[in-house]
């Protein structure tokens, strides 16, 4: 496994590999790897000849009031994880390598980046699409794997790939959870024992909502109200949003229609830690 820190060097390697007829699978991450990231690497490994794991805590997707400086950085640990999974290359640039002092070109998915997460994190998705586009240009992936936990991010990246004709197939991998249901996230390390216990309400409420849909509930507003009531029972919880969207368009349906797929999306703070979670459901 090679660790590459310079964009030009990574780009030359990726380009040579492509000329040799190799397929490249990329897993973009901000490090602090956990089992969820490894599941993405395993998918990339199965579907491509060469796997490039990118590790970069991207400053442009954090607002000044967010946790950029505090975001967990665990490179040595990440390196051994990657080695065990037989990753071929880690692309691990410095911020100055990715954003020179005269950087001024951004990519923005205009509409979808403003809703949901975008309402609470206004510059977030502009930073994500910009860095992912740069990473794609540097690594020339045939496929790139993202997690369903960041469902809006995955949707926006798929949109960017379609709108801007990137020659990369986006694969969205299922959410990995602990045995008691907490969606794996690098931010879980911030939770106190009590907050972690409260946070289990996220997956519990999603499960209950799925059951309600199974029994015939078709009103998104009613479901959102019921989920809110369940989450509000936990002391440390503070809901940012609970929203149902159509999975194929990220629009808000008035009614759940047979044959469509929806996401129930949650963003909730537990103390100072903000967690997101979701479930994708096919309406039968
Ligand atoms: O999901 C993440 O870890 C980040 O948003 C990504 C896609 C690596 C871009 O910085």
């Amino acid at each position: 496994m090679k660790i590459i820190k310079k964009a030009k060097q990574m780009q030359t390697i990726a380009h040579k590999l492509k000329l040799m007829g190799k397929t490249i699978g990329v897993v973009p991450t901000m490090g602090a790897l956990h089992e969820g990231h490894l599941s993405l690497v395993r998918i990339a490994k199965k579907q491509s000849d060469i796997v490039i794991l990118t590790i970069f805590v991207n400053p442009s997707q954090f607002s000044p009031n967010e946790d950029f400086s505090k975001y967990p950085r665990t490179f040595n640990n990440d390196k051994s994880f990657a080695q065990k999974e037989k990753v071929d290359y880690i692309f691990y640039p410095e911020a100055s390598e990715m954003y020179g002092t005269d950087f001024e070109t951004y990519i923005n998915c205009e509409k979808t980046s403003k809703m949901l997460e975008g309402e609470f994190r206004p510059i977030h998705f502009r930073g994500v699409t910009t860095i992912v586009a740069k990473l794609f240009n540097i690594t020339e992936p045939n496929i790139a794997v993202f997690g369903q936990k960041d469902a809006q991010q995955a949707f926006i990246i798929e949109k960017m790939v379609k709108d801007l004709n990137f020659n990369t197939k986006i694969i969205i991998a299922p959410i990995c959870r602990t045995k008691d249901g907490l969606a794996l996230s690098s931010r879980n390390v911030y939770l106190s024992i009590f907050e972690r216990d409260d946070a289990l309400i996220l997956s519990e409420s999603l499960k209950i909502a799925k059951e309600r849909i199974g029994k015939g509930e078709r009103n998104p507003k009613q479901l959102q109200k019921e989920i809110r009531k369940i989450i509000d029972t936990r002391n440390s919880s503070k809901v940012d949003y609970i929203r149902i969207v159509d999975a194929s368009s990220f629009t808000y349906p008035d009614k759940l229609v047979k044959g469509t797929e929806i996401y129930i999306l949650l963003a909730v703070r537990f103390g100072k830690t903000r967690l997101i979670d979701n479930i994708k459901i096919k309406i039968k």
Side-chain angles (χ1 to χ4, degrees):
M1 185 177 79
K2 291 208 172 68
I3 296 163
I4 310 291
K5 300 191 88 172
K6 296 289 174 203
K8 194 77 220 166
Q9 191 190 356
M10 186 73 258
Q11 203 166 35
T12 307
I13 293 170
H15 194 65
K16 275 193 187 144
L17 288 164
K18 292 303 277 291
L19 289 177
M20 285 159 64
K22 303 280 185 201
T23 57
I24 296 180
V26 168
V27 181
T29 77
M30 299 204 299
L33 300 185
H34 50 65
E35 197 53 40
H37 295 112
L38 302 187
S39 73
L40 310 183
V41 168
R42 285 172 202 147
I43 291 172
K45 196 88 202 151
K46 266 199 197 131
Q47 302 201 23
S48 42
D49 300 322
I50 302 288
V51 173
I52 305 176
L53 174 75
T54 75
I55 298 182
F56 180 62
V57 186
N58 174 33
S60 75
Q61 68 189 72
F62 290 80
S63 294
N65 62 335
E66 291 183 331
D67 57 346
F68 173 69
S69 54
K70 194 173 119 201
Y71 196 85
R73 286 157 172 88
T74 57
F75 186 69
N76 285 336
N77 207 34
D78 295 349
K79 205 167 68 180
S80 14
F81 268 143
Q83 222 142 17
K84 269 193 216 123
E85 295 300 325
K86 300 198 164 45
V87 162
D88 300 284
Y89 295 91
I90 298 182
F91 179 51
Y92 180 54
E94 298 283 339
S96 55
E97 179 68 10
M98 298 305 272
Y99 297 101
T101 47
D102 57 351
F103 188 88
E104 61 169 325
T105 308
Y106 290 87
I107 288 179
N108 197 25
C109 180
E110 295 285 333
K111 206 169 70 197
T112 318
S113 72
K114 288 199 184 81
M115 60 195 288
L116 296 159
E117 279 302 282
E119 283 177 38
F120 292 86
R121 311 183 68 191
I123 61 157
H124 176 66
F125 288 120
R126 183 183 80 147
V128 170
T129 39
T130 302
I131 197 66
V132 170
K134 281 169 72 69
L135 292 169
F136 283 4
N137 282 334
I138 292 166
T139 58
E140 293 191 30
N142 297 78
I143 63 155
V145 193
F146 295 85
Q148 186 198 306
K149 192 174 83 62
D150 297 292
Q152 190 179 1
Q153 167 173 283
F155 178 86
I156 284 175
I157 289 165
E158 280 186 320
K159 201 91 211 296
M160 176 187 83
V161 161
K162 178 169 169 269
D163 289 351
L164 300 184
N165 304 89
F166 280 91
N167 195 13
T168 299
K169 182 176 165 206
I170 303 300
I171 295 171
I172 302 176
I175 298 178
C176 284
R177 297 182 182 280
T178 57
K179 276 208 183 92
D180 53 3
L182 189 65
L184 297 190
S185 161
S186 304
R187 289 189 167 96
N188 290 349
V189 295
Y190 302 149
L191 295 167
S192 71
I193 296 173
F194 300 109
E195 289 162 354
R196 189 193 178 284
D197 194 51
D198 279 355
L200 298 178
I201 201 67
L202 297 181
S203 57
E204 284 166 27
S205 66
L206 289 171
K207 213 169 123 202
I208 294 169
K210 188 176 177 189
E211 282 163 13
R212 296 277 297 115
I213 293 171
K215 288 192 179 135
E217 181 59 74
R218 292 291 177 267
N219 182 342
K221 288 211 173 95
Q222 180 58 27
L223 282 161
Q224 286 163 193
K225 225 160 83 184
E226 287 177 28
I227 297 169
R228 170 140 210 159
K229 221 164 134 192
I230 297 167
I231 294 177
D232 280 349
T233 58
R234 297 300 166 112
N235 278 338
S236 68
S237 72
K238 192 170 174 300
V239 171
D240 273 356
Y241 62 79
I242 296 164
R243 287 307 291 256
I244 294 179
V245 295
D246 180 287
S248 66
S249 61
F250 257 72
T251 52
Y252 303 123
D254 296 328
K255 196 171 167 267
L256 306 187
V257 178
K258 191 176 165 181
T260 60
E261 282 193 307
I262 58 146
Y263 280 116
I264 305 176
L265 302 163
L266 313 178
V268 180
R269 291 167 204 269
F270 294 91
K272 289 202 175 104
T273 308
R274 186 174 185 280
L275 299 181
I276 57 172
D277 200 350
N278 70 73
I279 190 169
K280 193 176 192 182
I281 300 171
K282 175 133 190 178
I283 309 300
K284 293 192 182 124

